[in-house]
Amino acid sequence: QTWSNVTLAGARAGSFCIGSAPEDVGQAHYVADAGLVRLVLCPAAVLEAVTIYVISFQLKNPHFTQPSSVNLITAQSLSPVTVKSFDIPAAVIGVQGQTVWDVVNATDPLRVLVPTFEFSFMSQSNFYGGEVNTLSLQLRTTVELACSAEYCHTVTVRGLYGAVMPGTVALFGDSSVTSRFCGDESGTASSTGVWDQATSELTMYICRGTSVRAYENIYFAFNITNPIVEQPPPLIILAGV
């Protein structure tokens, strides 16, 4: 088995050890092959019956989407005295099962979601050089995009090379959709995006007090002026932060 050390936190973290050295106190072993964390009580440490203890530790989530995989807890006495030795049968661990940003069971341990655009599509109305061209964008995400007091999510269209637009770009379509996108993080200019000519990126902030729900079909359009010179279609990328 391969294992590594895990640093524990909590009022009783010091009750667990992986050895006799001072630096071994408050540590546990993570057994990667078995997918388990093993906590061993330090000598003379005691956990009282019918008492709730809160122990926490940090980990790094995998890079792929998965359901919660933490489901069992068990215990075993390693006492050399036979009469005090015992096993506690494995029991199902309770979970909160809360939904966060439209992610079901988001609070369950190791429930992992990699946010993506499940669907995105863009088309244009005019291919003639130097003329006004309407770009229509459709998208659907796997996680809710929202704006809170701390942070506002954004949707950015990258790779619009050659396009000519003003600094503030009007969005049009269903007002119930476009009104959820703002050209600045303050959320004062709804149904707009902000254009960066230097990077050829159009960014839309989610307006304060609104959100784009997970798996909601979103459609809106905006106008650009095509470049005068002929060019092949650039690689256009949709990004969310």
Side-chain angles (χ1 to χ4, degrees):
Q1 290 183 330
T2 59
W3 53 268
S4 57
N5 294 348
V6 175
T7 300
L8 305 176
R12 293 299 300 272
S15 297
F16 300 93
C17 301
I18 59 173
S20 57
E23 60 269 21
D24 294 335
V25 178
Q27 299 285 310
H29 280 154
Y30 169 57
V31 184
D33 297 343
L36 62 86
V37 175
R38 179 175 291 130
L39 288 75
V40 178
L41 280 172
C42 301
V46 174
L47 295 184
E48 299 292 342
V50 199
T51 303
I52 296 176
Y53 297 96
V54 179
I55 303 294
S56 63
F57 54 89
Q58 291 187 340
L59 53 77
K60 186 175 182 179
N61 286 336
H63 297 284
F64 48 84
T65 297
Q66 67 175 28
S68 175
S69 58
V70 180
N71 55 7
L72 291 177
I73 186 171
T74 186
Q76 182 182 35
S77 169
L78 301 180
S79 172
V81 181
T82 304
V83 69
K84 293 185 178 179
S85 299
F86 58 86
D87 291 338
I88 299 178
V92 176
I93 294 178
V95 295
Q96 292 179 308
Q98 294 182 359
T99 298
V100 180
W101 301 114
D102 282 346
V103 179
V104 178
N105 297 329
T107 54
D108 294 0
L110 281 172
R111 163 66 164 109
V112 176
L113 175 76
V114 179
T116 60
F117 286 99
E118 185 202 39
F119 173 80
S120 60
F121 181 80
M122 177 175 277
S123 62
Q124 69 174 10
S125 65
N126 189 353
F127 54 78
Y128 287 110
E131 295 191 3
V132 174
N133 183 7
T134 299
L135 301 185
S136 300
L137 175 64
Q138 294 174 265
L139 61 92
R140 187 168 60 241
T141 71
T142 58
V143 65
E144 182 182 13
L145 303 178
C147 185
S148 65
E150 295 79 22
Y151 184 79
C152 292
H153 290 114
T154 62
V155 174
T156 300
V157 183
R158 298 173 177 168
L160 297 171
Y161 299 112
V164 178
M165 284 181 274
T168 300
V169 179
L171 309 178
F172 52 91
D174 188 334
S175 61
S176 66
V177 173
T178 61
S179 62
R180 287 181 267 173
F181 295 95
C182 287
D184 58 0
E185 195 169 359
S186 65
T188 57
S190 64
S191 298
T192 63
V194 58
W195 169 245
D196 188 331
Q197 188 71 47
T199 60
S200 299
E201 295 181 352
L202 176 65
T203 298
M204 286 76 61
Y205 292 88
I206 303 300
C207 298
R208 294 194 179 277
T210 69
S211 67
V212 172
R213 302 301 300 270
Y215 302 102
E216 180 182 5
N217 292 311
I218 298 296
Y219 167 86
F220 60 83
F222 55 93
N223 286 332
I224 68 168
T225 299
N226 285 335
I228 297 175
V229 297
E230 184 174 339
Q231 68 176 29
L235 177 64
I236 297 177
I237 297 174
L238 191 63
V241 178

